[in-house]
C-alpha cells in the first residue's frame, strides 16, 4: 500500500512535468488525455486505498511513508514523507476524484484554447501540490505543498495573461496569500524552536506535554497558523483576493477556488487541532471570524451581477461555516461540510462554466434569462447545486453538513447562540442569493442566443457531481433521519470523537425553515421584478458598497497599497545609493580636472616628475 | 691626496643639474637620451665618490651595475628612437603626444 | 691628485655644458665622449682605476659609439640643425634652468652643511672590486644579466624592420 500511496502525488507531478516539457509538441487530444488520465489513475488508487482502509484498517489507522531525509542537522530533523490517516485520506479522495471530474470537464471546456497543454500542466501541478499539502507528514512538506498550490493558483488565475487585468488579479491573489503565509512561516519557526520538530504528530504530542491549555505560546503559534489559514481560505481580513481570482478559467475556479485549495486553511487547522485545543482564545476568534466572514460574504453575494462572483462570495461564506465549525471544535462537522461543499460548489462552478460556454462566455446574469428550457442539463445541475448550497432540507447534501455545524454551534456555551444566529441568518441570505441567481439565469424571457452543444466529457462530470450533491449528505445524518455516523466514525481516529447531542426541535426546525424562507424571498422578489430592475436603475451607494465587498479593496488600497507605492517611489531613487554615487561623482570631477595635465608631452611629464622629486628632496633636506 | 670629499659630490651635483636642465629643455630625442646618460653618470660618480670616501669597493660595484643599466636602457631607447623616427618622421618629442588624453 | 681631479672636473663640466647645448647631434655626442673621458680621469683621481677603465671602455667606447651609429642612421641634414637652433632659442630654457637652480641649491646646502671628511682616500683596485662583486653581490650580478637579456630581446623585437604605419589620427 505504501508504494501505491506514493504514486498518488507522483502521478500528477510526473504528468505535469511531461506536459510542461513536451506539451507544446502534443496534440490537444494527447495533452488532455495525459492530464486527465494521470489524475484518473490517482483517483482510482486513492479509492483503492480508501477501500482497503475501510475493509482492513492498518495499525492505528495510519500509514506513513518516508521518502528521504530532507534536513538533518544538530537538534533538528525533517524528512520528506507522507502521512495517511482518515483525515488526509478523506481529503485525498475528494481532491483526486473531484479533480479528475474537473479535468475531464476541462478537456472539453478548454478545447480550442491557446495554451491547452499549458493549462493541463498547471492543473496537474496543482493537484500534485495539493496532494503533497494533504499528505505531508511534517509542516515543512506541508508548506511546500501550501506554496505550490499558491503558485499554481497564481499561474491559473493569470492563465489568459494577454489581458493585463488578469495579471493584476493573479498578482493580487498571490500577494495577499503570501502576506498571510509570512505569518504562517513565523508560526512554523516558533513551533520548530519550541517543540524541536516539525513532524506533525510528534510535534502535537510534544505540545500537549510541554504546553498547557490557554498558554501564551500555543496561542501565539495557533494565531500565526490561523492567519496563514485565513489567507489561503480567503477569510476576513484576507477575503478580498478570491472574487478577483475568478479571472481564471471556470474549471480552475471550480477546482482551486472552490473545492480544494481554499479549504486548505480548514485542513491546516483540523490537522493541528490538538494545538488549537490548547488555545481556546484562538479557537473562539476563529469561530467569530468565520461567522463575520460568512455574513459579509453572503451579503456581498446578493448584489453581484457576475454569476462567478456570486459563487466566489458564496465560497467565502461557506468556508466561513467551516471556520465556524473548527472554531467550536466540531472537526468532523467541518470536514463533512468541506466534503459536501467541494461537491456542490464544483458542480455550481462547472454548471456556470457550462452555461457560459453556450452563451459566448457571457457571465453577467442580467443578460441571461429563460435558459431553463434551452439548456436543461445546465439548469438541472445548477439547480441541484443551488439546492445543496442553500441547504434545502433532506433532499440536498448541503443541508446535512450545515445542519450538523449549526447544531453543534448552538450547543456551545456562552457565545454559541450568537454564532448560531449569525449562521442561521446567513443560511437565509445564502438561499436568497443563490435562488436569485437561479431565477435570473433560468427563468423569465430569453435574452441571448445559444450556440453549441455539450459533449460527453462535459455531461458526465456534471451528472456525477449532481448525484453527489444530492446523495453525499447521507454519510452523516441527524438522529431523526437515522443518525448515520459513517464519516465521523471514520474520522474518529484522526480528529477525535463525535459531537454528541441533539440541539432540540426548535433549532432543527429553524435550520430547516431558513433556506425555505430564503427561497420564498427570492421567488417573491423575482415575481415582483425586483431582481430584474437591479440592472436598470443606478445602483445605490449601499449596493455599490456591498457589491464591492464592503470597501475592503479601497481600505487596503489606502492603508497598504498606496503607502507601499509611495515607499517604493521613494526607494526607487535609492537614497542610500546617493551616498555612494556622490563618491563616484567626486572621483569623476577629480578626473575631469586632472585629465588636463595629461598632455602627452614627455617634457612636461619629466618636468613634473622633477618638480615633485625636488619638493620631496627639499622637505628631506631643509627639515 | 688631500682632496676634500665635498669636491666630487659637488661635481656630481653639477653634472646632474646640467643633465636635468638639458632633459627638460631639449626637444630632440637624441639629446634627451644623452641627458639621461649624463644624469646616470653623475649618479655613478656619486657612488664612486662614496666608495672612495669610506674605502669600500661597493661604490664601484654600483657603478658597474649602473653601466649595465645604462647599456640596457640605451639599447632599448635607441631602438625606440628609430621606431619613432620611422613612424612619426620626426625626432621632436613634443610631437609625439599620442599618450594624450 | 688634486690637480688631476680639478682639471678633469673642470673639463667634464665644460664639455657636458657644451654637449647639451649643441645643435648638431654628432657634435653633441663628441663632447659627450670628452665629458665621459674626463669623468674617467675624475674616477682615477678618486682612487678607482677599475671604474675609470670601465668608463672609458663601456661608456665612451661602446655606448657612445652606439649612439653615433644611430645618429648616422637617422641621416640628419642642415635643415634639422636649423630647426634645432630655433627650438633652443628663448624661454624654452626658463623652467629647466629654474628647476636646475633649485636642485643646485639643495645640493649646495647638503654639501655645505655636512661634517668634514676624516678618512683619507686610498686606492681600491679591480681585485677588491671583483672579489666583492662575485661574492656579496652575486645575486645583483645575476639580476643585471637578466636585465641585459631582457634589453636584448626588447631591442631585437622593436628593431625589426616593418612597414611605416600611417600616423595615428589622434596625433596632431
Amino acid at each position: 500500500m505504501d508504494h501505491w500511496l506514493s504514486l498518488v502525488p507522483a502521478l500528477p507531478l510526473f504528468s505535469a512535468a511531461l506536459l510542461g516539457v513536451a506539451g507544446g509538441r502534443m496534440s490537444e487530444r494527447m495533452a488532455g488525455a495525459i492530464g486527465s488520465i494521470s489524475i484518473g489513475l490517482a483517483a482510482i488508487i486513492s479509492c483503492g486505498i480508501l477501500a482497503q482502509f475501510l475493509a482492513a484498517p492498518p495499525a492505528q489507522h495510519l500509514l506513513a511513508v518516508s521518502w528521504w531525509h530532507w534536513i538533518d542537522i544538530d537538534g533538528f530533523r525533517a524528512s520528506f514523507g507522507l502521512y495517511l490517516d482518515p483525515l488526509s485520506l478523506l481529503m485525498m479522495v475528494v481532491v483526486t476524484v473531484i479533480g479528475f471530474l474537473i479535468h475531464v470537464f476541462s478537456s472539453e471546456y478548454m478545447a480550442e484554447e491557446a495554451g491547452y497543454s499549458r493549462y493541463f500542466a498547471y492543473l496537474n501541478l496543482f493537484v500534485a501540490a495539493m496532494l503533497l499539502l494533504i499528505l505531508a507528514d511534517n509542516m515543512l512538506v506541508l508548506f511546500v505543498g501550501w506554496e505550490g498550490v499558491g503558485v499554481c493558483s497564481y499561474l491559473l488565475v493569470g492563465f489568459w495573461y494577454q489581458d493585463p487585468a488578469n495579471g493584476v488579479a493573479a498578482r493580487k491573489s498571490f500577494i495577499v496569500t503570501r502576506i498571510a503565509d509570512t505569518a504562517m512561516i513565523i508560526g512554523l519557526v516558533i513551533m520548530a524552536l519550541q517543540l524541536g520538530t516539525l513532524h506533525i504528530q510528534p510535534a502535537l504530542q510534544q505540545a500537549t506535554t510541554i504546553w498547557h491549555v490557554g498558554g501564551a505560546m500555543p496561542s501565539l503559534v495557533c494565531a500565526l497558523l490561523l492567519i496563514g489559514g485565513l489567507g489561503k481560505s480567503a477569510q476576513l481580513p484576507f477575503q478580498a483576493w478570491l472574487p478577483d481570482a475568478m479571472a481564471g478559467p471556470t474549471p480552475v475556479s471550480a477546482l482551486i477556488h472552490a473545492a480544494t485549495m481554499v479549504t486548505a486553511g480548514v485542513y491546516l487547522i483540523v490537522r493541528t487541532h490538538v494545538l488549537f485545543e490548547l488555545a481556546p482564545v484562538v479557537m473562539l476568534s476563529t469561530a467569530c471570524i468565520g461567522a463575520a466572514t460568512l455574513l459579509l460574504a453572503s451579503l456581498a453575494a446578493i448584489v453581484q451581477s457576475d454569476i462567478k462572483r456570486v459563487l466566489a462570495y458564496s465560497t467565502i461564506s461557506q468556508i466561513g461555516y467551516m471556520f465556524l465549525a473548527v472554531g467550536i471544535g466540531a472537526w468532523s462537522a467541518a470536514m463533512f461540510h468541506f466534503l459536501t461543499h467541494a461537491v456542490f460548489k464544483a458542480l455550481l462552478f462547472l454548471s456556470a462554466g457550462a452555461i457560459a460556454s453556450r452563451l459566448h462566455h457571457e457571465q453577467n446574469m442580467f443578460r441571461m434569462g429563460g435558459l431553463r428550457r434551452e439548456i436543461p442539463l445546465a439548469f438541472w445541475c445548477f439547480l441541484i447545486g443551488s439546492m445543496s448550497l442553500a441547504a434545502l432540507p433532506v433532499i440536498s447534501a448541503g443541508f446535512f453538513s450545515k445542519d450538523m455545524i449549526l447544531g453543534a454551534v448552538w450547543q456551545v456555551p456562552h457565545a454559541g447562540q450568537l454564532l448560531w444566529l449569525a449562521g442561521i441568518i446567513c443560511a437565509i441570505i445564502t438561499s436568497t442569493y443563490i435562488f436569485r441567481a437561479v431565477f435570473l439565469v433560468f427563468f423569465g424571457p430569453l435574452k441571448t442566443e445559444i450556440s453549441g452543444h455539450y459533449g460527453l466529457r462535459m455531461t458526465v462530470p456534471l451528472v456525477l457531481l449532481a448525484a453527489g450533491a444530492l446523495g453525499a449528505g447521507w454519510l452523516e445524518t441527524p438522529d431523526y433521519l437515522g443518525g448515520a455516523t459513517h464519516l465521523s466514525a471514520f474520522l474518529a481516529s484522526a480528529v477525535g470523537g463525535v459531537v454528541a447531542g441533539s440541539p432540540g426541535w426548535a433549532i432543527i426546525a429553524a435550520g430547516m425553515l431558513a433556506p425555505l424562507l430564503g427561497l420564498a424571498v427570492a421567488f417573491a422578489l423575482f415575481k415582483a421584478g425586483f431582481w430584474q430592475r437591479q440592472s436598470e436603475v443606478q445602483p445605490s451607494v449601499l449596493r455599490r458598497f456591498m457589491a464591492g465587498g464592503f470597501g475592503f479593496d479601497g481600505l487596503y488600497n489606502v492603508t497598504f497599497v498606496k503607502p507601499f507605492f509611495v515607499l517604493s517611489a521613494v526607494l526607487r531613487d535609492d537614497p542610500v545609493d546617493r551616498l555612494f554615487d556622490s563618491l563616484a561623482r567626486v572621483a569623476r570631477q577629480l578626473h575631469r580636472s586632472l585629465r588636463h595635465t595629461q598632455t602627452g608631452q614627455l617634457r612636461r611629464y619629466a618636468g613634473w616628475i622633477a618638480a615633485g622629486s625636488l619638493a620631496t628632496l627639499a622637505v628631506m633636506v631643509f627639515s | 691626496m688631500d682632496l676634500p670629499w665635498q669636491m666630487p659630490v659637488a661635481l656630481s651635483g653639477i653634472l646632474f643639474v646640467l643633465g636635468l636642465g638639458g632633459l627638460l629643455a631639449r626637444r630632440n630625442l637624441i639629446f634627451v637620451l644623452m641627458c639621461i646618460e649624463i644624469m646616470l653618470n653623475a649618479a655613478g660618480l656619486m657612488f664612486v665618490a662614496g666608495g672612495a670616501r669610506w674605502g669600500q669597493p661597493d661604490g664601484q660595484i654600483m657603478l658597474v651595475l649602473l653601466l649595465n643599466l645604462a647599456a640596457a636602457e640605451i639599447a632599448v631607447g635607441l631602438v625606440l628612437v628609430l621606431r619613432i623616427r620611422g613612424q612619426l618622421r620626426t625626432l621632436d618629442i613634443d610631437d609625439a603626444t599620442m599618450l594624450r588624453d | 691628485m688634486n690637480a688631476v681631479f680639478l682639471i678633469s672636473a673642470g673639463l667634464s663640466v665644460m664639455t657636458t655644458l657644451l654637449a647639451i647645448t649643441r645643435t648638431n647631434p654628432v657634435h653633441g655626442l663628441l663632447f659627450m665622449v670628452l665629458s665621459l673621458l674626463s669623468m674617467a680621469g675624475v674616477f682615477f683621481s678618486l682612487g678607482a682605476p677599475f671604474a675609470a677603465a670601465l668608463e672609458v671602455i663601456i661608456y665612451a667606447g661602446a655606448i657612445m659609439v652606439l649612439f653615433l651609429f644611430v645618429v648616422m642612421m637617422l641621416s640628419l641634414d642642415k635643415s634639422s640643425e636649423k630647426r634645432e637652433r630655433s627650438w633652443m632659442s628663448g624661454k624654452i630654457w626658463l623652467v629647466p634652468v629654474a628647476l636646475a637652480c633649485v636642485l643646485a641649491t639643495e645640493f649646495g646646502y647638503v654639501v655645505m652643511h655636512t661634517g668634514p671628511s676624516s678618512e683619507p682616500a686610498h686606492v681600491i683596485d679591480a681585485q677588491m672590486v671583483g672579489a666583492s662583486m662575485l661574492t656579496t653581490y652575486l645575486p645583483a650580478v645575476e639580476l643585471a644579466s637578466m636585465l641585459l637579456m631582457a634589453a636584448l630581446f626588447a631591442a631585437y623585437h622593436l628593431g625589426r624592420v616593418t612597414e611605416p604605419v600611417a600616423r595615428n589620427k589622434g596625433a596632431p
Side-chain angles (χ1 to χ4, degrees):
Chain A
M1 208 145 100
D2 298 10
H3 302 301
W4 293 109
L5 179 60
S6 299
L7 270 181
V8 174
L11 274 171
L13 189 64
F14 174 72
S15 74
L18 189 65
L19 287 169
V21 172
R25 285 184 286 280
M26 287 180 191
S27 65
E28 265 194 14
R29 178 185 283 274
M30 178 93 169
I34 289 177
S36 306
I37 287 171
S38 65
I39 309 292
L41 286 176
I44 290 168
I45 295 168
S46 300
C47 292
I49 293 173
L50 176 67
Q52 197 170 354
F53 222 91
L54 291 173
Q60 295 168 332
H61 292 273
L62 57 87
L63 198 64
V65 182
S66 184
W67 282 353
W68 61 76
H69 286 294
W70 187 8
I71 298 169
D72 192 354
I73 51 173
D74 188 32
F76 184 78
R77 294 163 69 95
S79 65
F80 208 100
L82 305 181
Y83 176 85
L84 187 77
D85 66 350
L87 175 62
S88 46
L89 179 55
L90 173 70
M91 291 286 287
M92 180 174 87
V93 171
V94 170
V95 168
T96 50
V97 171
I98 292 183
F100 173 60
L101 295 178
I102 292 173
H103 272 73
V104 171
F105 182 88
S106 301
S107 67
E108 183 179 331
Y109 181 84
M110 296 297 286
E112 313 291 324
E113 286 282 352
Y116 190 81
S117 64
R118 180 165 62 92
Y119 173 84
F120 276 99
Y122 290 165
L123 216 54
N124 283 359
L125 186 63
F126 167 79
V127 173
M130 189 72 203
L131 288 169
L132 196 62
L133 191 165
I134 292 164
L135 295 170
D137 74 337
N138 78 55
M139 295 301 269
L140 277 180
V141 180
L142 186 144
F143 195 72
V144 170
W146 187 272
E147 295 299 317
V149 294
V151 169
C152 294
S153 164
Y154 165 78
L155 292 171
L156 284 163
V157 170
F159 179 73
W160 287 306
Y161 55 88
Q162 283 96 343
D163 184 355
N166 294 341
V168 170
R171 283 199 294 280
K172 184 176 178 184
S173 68
F174 193 69
I175 291 169
V176 171
T177 47
R178 277 310 73 69
I179 292 168
D181 291 349
T182 310
M184 179 172 166
I185 203 163
I186 294 170
L188 293 189
V189 170
I190 294 175
M191 265 179 86
L193 287 176
Q194 293 284 320
L195 303 175
T197 175
L198 279 177
H199 283 260
I200 296 169
Q201 301 310 321
L204 296 182
Q205 275 174 7
Q206 177 77 358
T208 52
T209 55
I210 66 168
W211 288 341
H212 60 274
V213 175
M217 203 42 86
S219 302
L220 178 64
V221 170
C222 287
L224 290 167
L225 290 183
L226 174 64
I227 291 173
L230 291 177
K232 194 60 103 190
S233 295
Q235 298 294 290
L236 275 178
F238 298 104
Q239 84 292 11
W241 67 267
L242 188 57
D244 286 356
M246 294 300 126
T250 308
V252 169
S253 309
L255 179 60
I256 299 183
H257 304 117
T260 55
M261 184 189 85
V262 287
T263 54
V266 181
Y267 174 74
L268 176 71
I269 297 175
V270 177
R271 179 89 278 174
T272 57
H273 69 279
V274 177
L275 215 54
F276 276 78
E277 277 165 354
L278 296 174
V281 181
V282 180
M283 293 268 285
L284 185 63
S285 30
T286 309
C288 293
I289 289 170
T293 308
L294 70 89
L295 265 176
L296 275 181
S298 56
L299 281 174
I302 209 164
V303 292
Q304 300 299 323
S305 57
D306 184 319
I307 189 168
K308 280 185 73 180
R309 287 181 87 88
V310 173
L311 296 179
Y313 278 109
S314 86
T315 302
I316 298 175
S317 86
Q318 292 304 304
I319 297 169
Y321 273 118
M322 297 178 211
F323 270 77
L324 183 57
V326 295
I328 59 162
W331 314 114
S332 46
M335 292 319 292
F336 185 33
H337 196 57
F338 152 76
L339 171 64
T340 57
H341 173 256
V343 174
F344 69 68
K345 191 53 65 67
L347 173 65
L348 279 171
F349 265 114
L350 292 187
S351 316
I355 295 164
S357 75
R358 301 289 291 271
L359 302 179
H360 307 289
H361 293 280
E362 177 61 62
Q363 294 185 355
N364 189 335
M365 294 189 296
F366 293 120
R367 296 203 205 108
M368 304 176 186
L371 297 175
R372 175 168 43 112
R373 297 197 186 287
E374 306 299 327
I375 37 176
L377 173 74
F379 167 63
W380 284 109
C381 290
F382 198 87
L383 184 67
I384 291 167
S386 302
M387 283 168 17
S388 203
L389 172 63
L392 290 189
V394 188
I395 53 169
S396 68
F399 166 72
F400 297 100
S401 56
K402 192 180 287 186
D403 202 47
M404 191 172 168
I405 291 174
L406 288 179
V409 169
W410 176 258
Q411 291 167 28
V412 172
H414 311 306
Q417 276 81 352
L418 210 58
L419 293 172
W420 178 85
L421 194 63
I424 204 77
I425 290 171
C426 182
I428 300 170
I429 302 170
T430 304
S431 177
T432 308
Y433 71 69
I434 195 63
F435 280 108
R436 163 181 175 262
V438 170
F439 288 133
L440 281 174
V441 173
F442 294 103
F443 291 83
L446 192 64
K447 291 179 189 166
T448 43
E449 62 177 66
I450 293 160
S451 61
H453 67 284
Y454 295 134
L456 208 55
R457 285 176 293 167
M458 276 167 89
T459 315
V460 170
L462 284 172
V463 170
L464 287 177
L465 285 170
L470 286 174
W474 294 95
L475 283 172
E476 186 85 11
T477 54
D479 293 340
Y480 54 87
L481 283 173
T485 57
H486 301 300
L487 190 76
S488 47
F490 175 68
L491 290 176
S493 67
V495 297
V498 184
V499 178
S502 175
W505 280 109
I507 302 307
I508 293 168
M512 284 184 163
L513 285 177
L516 296 173
L517 180 62
L519 170 59
V521 169
F523 182 69
L525 288 176
F526 178 74
K527 272 289 168 208
F530 178 77
W531 300 131
Q532 296 91 320
R533 277 199 303 279
Q534 276 185 330
S535 68
E536 292 150 18
V537 297
Q538 188 68 26
S540 66
V541 175
L542 178 67
R543 227 183 84 202
R544 277 208 303 265
F545 182 62
M546 282 165 67
F550 294 89
F552 274 97
D553 281 340
L555 182 69
Y556 292 160
N557 256 337
V558 173
T559 50
F560 299 114
V561 180
K562 288 269 169 59
F564 187 78
F565 278 167
V566 169
L567 191 66
S568 69
V570 169
L571 289 178
R572 175 159 51 194
D573 295 336
D574 215 341
V576 179
D577 221 30
R578 285 273 175 82
L579 187 67
F580 301 105
D581 278 353
S582 68
L583 287 180
R585 243 197 317 281
V586 167
R588 203 174 300 131
Q589 205 62 48
L590 272 175
H591 153 76
R592 273 204 201 100
S593 31
L594 284 177
R595 65 184 286 193
H596 293 304
T597 65
Q598 192 83 349
T599 56
Q601 290 193 318
L602 201 61
R603 293 194 305 123
R604 274 175 198 271
Y605 296 171
W608 283 114
I609 291 171
S613 317
L614 287 188
T616 317
L617 205 59
V619 169
M620 284 162 65
V621 166
F622 294 114
S623 63
Chain B
M1 283 298 282
D2 205 16
L3 186 71
W5 69 272
Q6 281 96 339
M7 293 296 280
V9 171
L11 176 62
S12 157
I14 290 166
L15 289 177
F16 190 85
V17 167
L18 286 176
L20 179 66
L23 175 76
L24 296 182
R26 298 303 301 247
R27 290 170 67 175
N28 190 323
L29 207 44
I30 297 286
F31 284 98
V32 170
L33 284 178
M34 267 166 63
C35 291
I36 291 173
E37 292 306 305
I38 291 168
M39 286 160 82
L40 278 175
N41 211 21
L45 172 58
M46 189 68 106
F47 276 126
V48 173
R53 160 72 177 71
W54 278 283
Q56 299 289 329
D58 307 53
Q60 294 191 50
I61 291 166
M62 282 301 149
L63 181 78
V64 172
L65 296 177
L66 205 73
L67 283 179
N68 187 5
L69 176 72
E73 180 252 339
I74 217 65
V76 177
L78 286 173
V79 172
L80 286 174
V81 167
L82 289 175
R83 297 287 290 207
I84 288 172
R85 164 83 176 182
Q87 297 214 340
L88 302 183
R89 298 270 157 234
T90 177
L91 284 176
D92 185 1
I93 56 168
D94 282 8
D95 259 7
T97 55
M98 278 193 267
L99 206 63
R100 186 175 51 192
D101 174 44
Chain C
M1 272 321 220
N2 273 356
V4 176
F5 175 82
L6 286 174
I7 294 166
S8 302
L11 204 59
S12 119
V13 170
M14 212 153 59
T15 48
T16 304
L17 204 56
L18 286 169
I20 62 171
T21 52
R22 291 307 86 193
T23 52
N24 188 332
V26 179
H27 295 173
L29 280 172
L30 291 177
F31 280 116
M32 182 82 188
V33 172
L34 272 182
S35 158
L36 291 172
L37 288 176
S38 53
M39 187 68 76
V42 171
F43 287 165
F44 186 74
S45 72
L46 287 175
F50 180 61
L54 282 180
E55 186 83 356
V56 172
I57 295 166
I58 296 180
Y59 239 128
I63 295 180
M64 283 305 125
V65 170
L66 191 63
F67 251 106
L68 218 50
F69 280 146
V70 168
V71 171
M72 285 170 183
M73 283 169 77
L74 296 175
S75 62
L76 302 163
D77 52 9
K78 285 286 178 198
S79 67
S80 68
E81 206 169 323
K82 201 178 286 173
R83 192 179 60 229
E84 201 74 35
R85 192 169 295 126
S86 74
W87 283 348
M88 289 223 299
S89 60
K91 59 191 182 210
I92 196 165
W93 287 98
L94 210 64
V95 175
V97 167
L99 281 173
C101 287
V102 173
L103 183 57
T105 317
E106 285 174 9
F107 274 139
Y109 181 86
V110 171
V111 170
M112 294 303 156
H113 289 77
T114 319
S117 161
S118 53
E119 260 181 70
H122 51 86
V123 175
I124 300 155
D125 60 6
Q127 194 181 359
M128 290 170 71
V129 174
S132 185
M133 191 155 72
L134 293 179
T135 53
T136 320
Y137 286 93
L138 195 60
V141 171
E142 291 297 330
L143 287 174
S145 70
M146 279 184 217
L147 179 66
L148 280 176
M149 183 62 89
L152 181 68
F153 281 132
Y156 177 74
H157 178 74
L158 288 169
R160 280 176 310 166
V161 177
T162 50
E163 288 296 307
V165 181
R167 269 185 82 161
N168 196 311
K169 264 186 293 179

